Amino acid sequence: MATTTVSDTPVPAPTEHTHHGAGRVLTVSTIGFTLMFAVWLQFGVLGLPIRKEFGLSDVQLAWITALAVLNGSIWRLPMGILADRWGGRRVFFWMLLLTAIPAYLISTASNYAMLLLYAFLVGFAGNSFSVGIAWVSAWWPQRRQGLALGIFGAGNVGASVTKLIGPTLIAMVPVAGLLGGVIPGGWRFVAVLYSVLLVIMAIVLWFVAPKHDHKPAQGRPMKELLAPLKQMRVWRFSLYYVVVFGAYVALAAWLPKYYMDVYDLSLGDAAHLTALFIFPASLLRPVGGWVSDRVGARKVMYLTFSVMLVACGILMMPYGFIVLQHADGTTSEVLPWSVNVWLFTVLVVIIGCAMGIGKAAVYKHIPEYFPNDVGAVGGLVGSLGALGGFFLPLLFAYVASFTGMAQSTFFVLFIFVAWAAIWMHITVVRVLHKASPELGDKFEHEGADIDSQVAETGGHEQPATVGSAPRP
């Protein structure tokens, strides 16, 4: 009976040359994803005039955003598989056209129920990530996939598009609309504009992208495509992505409120400071891919988790001081602690930089281990990561309510980062011990004293020869 061996060694890439037309695929997919990401998270800005017009509570408004995020997460696995089977060009084209319909319908909403429905439907735009990842991976060789996927993933910057243009458009276009009301005004104009841009993008993609497409999963049975999902490694990658992407989505929505509550800033100032977090968390993704191509994704993930743990560890400390009771009955306050708005912003931006680099490193792992199943594996990892953007804000709110401290937001994030970092390190140690079991109980190699060797060689330590270990 045949047996299947699961190895911790990355699978060799099926091809090492860049296909003709790969640049066009990367360009149109990145622009299309940026637009779809902007549509997906548009309620971060549109929600404010919507709340005023419909008289919504904060909870009701939160559900509009949550439903859009939810629907942008749950279909990533099947859409990634479809891209691998049918080709990314065809799937991305139809996604753009289908998303344009609810994008326009948002402008016609006349009650809260309609808003919930259309917000859920337009959230489908978020699933374009797994389609683009599968499409780009099929066209680029493994040695350059880190950079290519990083450039594509920089489309996350779409989260700030509505924040930058939305308020201006809402103010410029009168509520009565244009052309006698044919084109609605106010916040509804933004929804109409997005629907038109989605149709235009679909046409551009169809005619610019190469007509022939790569379909790594064509003809393969569904059972075979889903088989990699049984590996624990896939779920570990998913946790990594919750930390670097799910938390990014959560903080992008949560930070304006944090700035307003803790530092008493205006909404405009809070939005601009939040943008300082969003941009590096998106635009540094290509850098993360480039570095991962050269030094390895594992080293990049160690750096990412370390930086996030330090920054979150500082930000989660509650503000206050220690009161000392003296023998004479007097008291004194010592060791006061607080983080001013500028230090807070610097640390949040550092977290954003780590997230941007880490997002690329996570997806560098996937085509290395699953070169023929990027759609399925990337879809699941992306789906679970995006769901982090759905449940993390809820955790932030509940923990803050329970503790009475806004800083508990970063305690929640610290716990998730620590969980991912520990799991990754345990896996790495196990793999290294499996490769060299004779070193399992050793602090250093047996033989001559290392310090003596260093002295005898003029201060240069001679490395011992150890069998290479597979990557976890």
Side-chain angles (χ1 to χ4, degrees):
M1 181 176 67
T3 59
T4 301
T5 302
V6 179
S7 171
D8 281 310
T9 306
V11 179
T15 179
E16 279 301 317
H17 68 278
T18 303
H19 299 285
H20 178 69
R24 283 181 287 155
V25 169
L26 181 59
T27 300
V28 296
S29 63
T30 301
I31 297 173
F33 175 56
T34 302
L35 176 60
M36 292 286 262
F37 208 86
V39 172
W40 185 35
L41 299 181
Q42 63 183 299
F43 294 105
V45 170
L46 298 190
L48 301 176
I50 287 175
R51 178 176 61 180
K52 181 178 180 180
E53 178 178 330
F54 289 90
L56 304 180
S57 67
D58 288 345
V59 173
Q60 288 176 312
L61 179 60
W63 272 106
I64 293 177
T65 303
L67 287 177
V69 172
L70 179 64
N71 197 34
S73 309
I74 58 179
W75 303 106
R76 292 191 174 199
L77 172 58
M79 296 309 297
I81 293 176
L82 286 179
D84 274 347
R85 291 178 71 107
W86 295 352
R89 175 174 176 262
R90 181 190 303 179
V91 177
F92 213 129
F93 170 77
W94 284 109
M95 283 193 71
L96 288 163
L97 288 183
L98 291 175
T99 305
I101 299 173
Y104 172 78
L105 290 176
I106 289 172
S107 69
T108 68
S110 59
N111 56 61
Y112 181 60
M114 294 175 68
L115 281 171
L116 289 176
L117 175 61
Y118 298 152
F120 178 79
L121 293 177
V122 83
F124 185 65
N127 299 291
S128 60
F129 175 76
S130 60
V131 176
I133 285 291
W135 192 17
V136 172
S137 295
W139 279 83
W140 286 80
Q142 188 180 97
R143 61 185 172 83
R144 301 184 65 188
Q145 280 176 342
L147 177 59
L149 295 178
I151 293 173
F152 168 78
N156 288 162
V157 76
S160 64
V161 170
T162 310
K163 289 181 175 63
L164 294 177
I165 69 172
T168 302
L169 291 175
I170 292 171
M172 287 177 56
V173 182
V175 177
L178 303 174
L179 302 178
V182 175
I183 300 176
W187 65 267
R188 297 173 189 270
F189 175 78
V190 179
V192 173
L193 177 62
Y194 274 147
S195 67
V196 173
L197 291 177
L198 287 168
V199 173
I200 293 175
M201 187 66 231
I203 295 173
V204 171
L205 180 145
W206 187 256
F207 287 102
V208 173
K211 290 182 172 56
H212 64 284
D213 213 344
H214 298 284
K215 307 170 185 177
Q218 188 176 35
R220 296 170 61 195
M222 186 62 66
K223 183 178 180 180
E224 181 181 340
L225 293 177
L226 297 176
L229 305 188
K230 298 178 181 179
Q231 297 187 32
M232 184 59 67
R233 180 188 298 117
V234 176
W235 300 90
R236 178 161 47 85
F237 293 166
S238 298
L239 176 60
Y240 299 169
Y241 208 58
V242 168
V243 168
V244 296
F245 178 73
Y248 157 74
V249 173
L251 287 177
W254 190 259
L255 281 176
K257 179 181 181 299
Y258 191 99
Y259 275 115
M260 295 173 69
D261 291 347
V262 177
Y263 298 107
D264 196 28
L265 299 183
S266 67
L267 177 60
D269 291 339
H272 289 143
L273 290 177
T274 300
L276 294 179
F277 161 78
I278 291 175
F279 277 106
S282 304
L283 298 180
L284 284 180
R285 194 162 181 163
V287 176
W290 180 81
V291 175
S292 297
D293 282 339
R294 280 151 181 76
V295 305
R298 183 204 301 172
K299 292 181 180 178
V300 176
M301 291 309 301
Y302 267 116
L303 176 63
T304 295
F305 290 153
S306 298
V307 170
M308 291 183 68
L309 285 172
V310 171
C312 289
I314 296 173
L315 292 174
M316 74 180 185
M317 295 173 63
Y319 299 170
F321 47 81
I322 297 175
V323 178
L324 295 181
Q325 181 75 42
H326 301 289
D328 59 2
T330 61
T331 61
S332 60
E333 300 171 357
V334 299
L335 300 179
W337 170 257
S338 65
V339 175
N340 63 44
V341 65
W342 302 116
L343 177 57
F344 176 85
T345 300
V346 168
L347 291 173
V348 166
V349 169
I350 289 174
I351 291 175
C353 293
M355 287 178 169
I357 292 173
K359 283 184 285 190
V362 173
Y363 268 85
K364 170 64 176 175
H365 282 94
I366 295 174
E368 286 188 351
Y369 291 98
F370 308 98
N372 298 316
D373 299 290
V374 174
V377 177
L380 179 64
V381 171
S383 180
L384 294 179
L387 283 174
F390 173 75
F391 70 78
L392 277 175
L394 297 176
L395 278 178
F396 294 164
Y398 282 118
V399 175
S401 176
F402 177 76
T403 62
M405 297 184 298
Q407 295 77 24
S408 61
T409 293
F410 296 94
F411 172 74
V412 173
L413 187 55
F414 182 92
I415 293 299
F416 275 89
V417 178
W419 178 14
I422 292 171
W423 192 359
M424 180 181 74
H425 186 65
I426 290 175
T427 303
V428 170
V429 171
R430 285 177 176 173
V431 170
L432 295 176
H433 283 187
K434 184 178 180 180
S436 302
E438 70 279 4
L439 302 178
D441 297 321
K442 305 295 182 182
F443 285 102
E444 60 183 31
H445 297 295
E446 294 180 347
D449 180 70
I450 295 296
D451 294 331
S452 298
Q453 291 183 9
V454 172
E456 293 172 0
T457 55
H460 300 287
E461 182 174 331
Q462 300 298 312
T465 302
V466 182
S468 60
R471 294 181 180 181

